[in-house]
Amino acid sequence: MSARTVAVRAANWFTPAIGLARVAWLRTVLYLFVIVDMHAFVRDTRLKGEHPGLYQPLLLARMFDLPKPTVFNTTALYVVLIAACLVGASNYFPRIAGWIVAPAFTWWVLIGMSDGKVDHDHLALVIALWVLPTVKAGRRGRASYNDQTRSESAGWVIRCVQICVIATYFLSAIAKLRSAGWALTWPGSAVLTWAIVRRPHPVGEWLLHHPWMLHVMQWVGITAEFLSPVILWLKGRWQLLGALFFLGFHAANTAILLIHFLPTVVCWLAFAPMERIVPWFQRRRASDSDAGEAEDQAEDGREAKEQAGA
């Protein structure tokens, strides 16, 4: 296989032709989720504007010399984000709204995580906000939920989000190795026991009486994280099964430790063929309409026969 062939195949993999409708759906879901995230998860950004003396800027904030949070700039950031997210979620002016949301939410997150705890569950969400505006708006300047036009730029955006979703797990496994001095000691440790004791919950407390189950879960978890990149090359039902496994993984974490990964979970929608939603409903409606017409015709036929017999 020549180098040119390899390059072409790699380019085709990174830029698959995908319906613009999937990007339209993803925009709406992610921009609305950003508003939820600002109020439920990274919700203390405005509070840090009231206490700028405690602000310890992260590396990215230092690199771009971002100003310290104040009541004024965090409030302005809040208002701008809410307005831009609502516009972007409507799929009107998606590129303008997107180029406002991406840097604004990145700054919001940098302030919110300036206390030293950086949540890696926001990786895919932040990157998604940066790549979404690169897709053209669509027909008549507005993206449609039923636009089946296949676009390589849309495919590139979807692929970027997919890669970041998977990187969240794979890099987590790498971090576990690094923290243990590059030794595979994490799955045999008592880390889940410690986490349950720190975050007591009925399901987790029940598992404390079955430590072997906790070790099995740790081995399954780190193995799945290392193998997660395989999902990028799976197709159809196999990819769906891989996605369902990780969604189940998060459901288990929530049940055992009350730890969610919703910013990552919502980005799993990049794997879903959402461009099929509207056509599916249209087919269902057409099928119901045809069935109704056939039933009406049959009823008319029965009435005609009854009248002829009379």
Side-chain angles (χ1 to χ4, degrees):
M1 185 181 298
S2 66
R4 179 181 177 81
T5 302
V6 173
V8 170
R9 288 189 177 183
N12 291 338
W13 186 84
F14 277 104
T15 58
I18 290 178
L20 288 171
R22 190 185 305 196
V23 174
W25 281 106
L26 198 62
R27 281 197 190 108
T28 297
V29 173
L30 293 189
Y31 288 141
L32 292 178
F33 182 81
V34 165
I35 297 176
V36 175
D37 193 290
M38 292 168 59
H39 293 88
F41 309 132
V42 187
R43 61 181 184 272
D44 56 349
T45 297
R46 294 178 67 188
L47 294 176
K48 290 179 180 177
E50 300 175 3
H51 305 282
L54 301 177
Y55 175 66
Q56 296 293 327
L58 298 174
L59 175 61
L60 198 59
R62 298 195 302 269
M63 288 175 58
F64 288 93
D65 195 24
L66 297 178
K68 287 186 176 182
T70 64
V71 173
F72 173 78
N73 62 25
T74 55
T75 302
L77 191 60
Y78 175 83
V79 173
V80 168
L81 267 172
I82 295 295
C85 282
L86 291 176
V87 174
S90 70
N91 270 298
Y92 283 101
F93 311 108
R95 303 188 83 178
I96 297 175
W99 287 124
I100 294 174
V101 172
F105 187 67
T106 302
W107 190 14
W108 180 274
V109 170
L110 288 174
I111 295 173
M113 298 185 183
S114 63
D115 53 7
K117 182 180 181 295
V118 179
D119 298 328
H120 61 293
D121 62 348
H122 278 70
L123 170 64
L125 177 61
V126 171
I127 297 301
L129 297 178
W130 278 100
V131 296
L132 278 173
T134 64
V135 182
K136 292 183 179 180
R139 299 170 183 172
R140 300 179 181 178
R142 181 176 184 267
S144 168
Y145 299 117
N146 191 30
D147 191 345
Q148 301 301 313
T149 305
R150 299 180 72 81
S151 165
E152 291 184 351
S153 64
W156 180 79
V157 167
I158 294 299
R159 188 68 80 197
C160 286
V161 180
Q162 291 176 345
I163 290 173
C164 289
V165 167
I166 297 302
T168 303
Y169 304 99
F170 185 74
L171 294 179
S172 175
I174 298 297
K176 291 179 176 67
L177 284 181
R178 185 187 63 179
S179 63
W182 300 105
L184 192 61
T185 60
W186 187 90
S189 67
V191 63
L192 269 182
T193 301
W194 170 80
I196 292 171
V197 171
R198 189 168 65 96
R199 291 171 173 264
H201 188 262
V203 177
E205 291 177 335
W206 177 80
L207 286 172
L208 289 178
H209 301 289
H210 307 278
W212 67 270
M213 295 180 64
L214 296 176
H215 285 293
V216 169
M217 293 169 65
Q218 289 173 193
W219 274 105
V220 171
I222 196 169
T223 302
E225 288 175 338
F226 273 119
L227 296 178
S228 59
V230 174
I231 294 178
L232 293 171
W233 282 271
L234 296 178
K235 294 181 180 181
R237 293 181 179 179
W238 288 107
Q239 191 175 76
L240 173 62
L241 289 174
L244 290 176
F245 170 84
F246 278 99
L247 294 179
F249 172 80
H250 292 304
N253 273 340
T254 302
I256 297 171
L257 302 172
L258 294 179
I259 296 177
H260 69 84
F261 252 63
L262 285 181
T264 300
V265 168
V266 74
C267 289
W268 273 100
L269 286 174
F271 290 89
M274 294 182 289
E275 62 272 22
R276 301 179 186 174
I277 294 176
V278 174
W280 182 81
F281 274 107
Q282 289 176 339
R283 288 194 300 270
R284 284 292 302 271
R285 186 168 58 181
S287 177
D288 293 341
S289 177
D290 292 342
E293 291 179 0
E295 186 176 345
D296 291 341
Q297 291 176 358
E299 182 65 26
D300 292 342
R302 286 193 296 269
E303 291 179 355
K305 288 181 179 179
E306 291 175 357
Q307 292 176 358

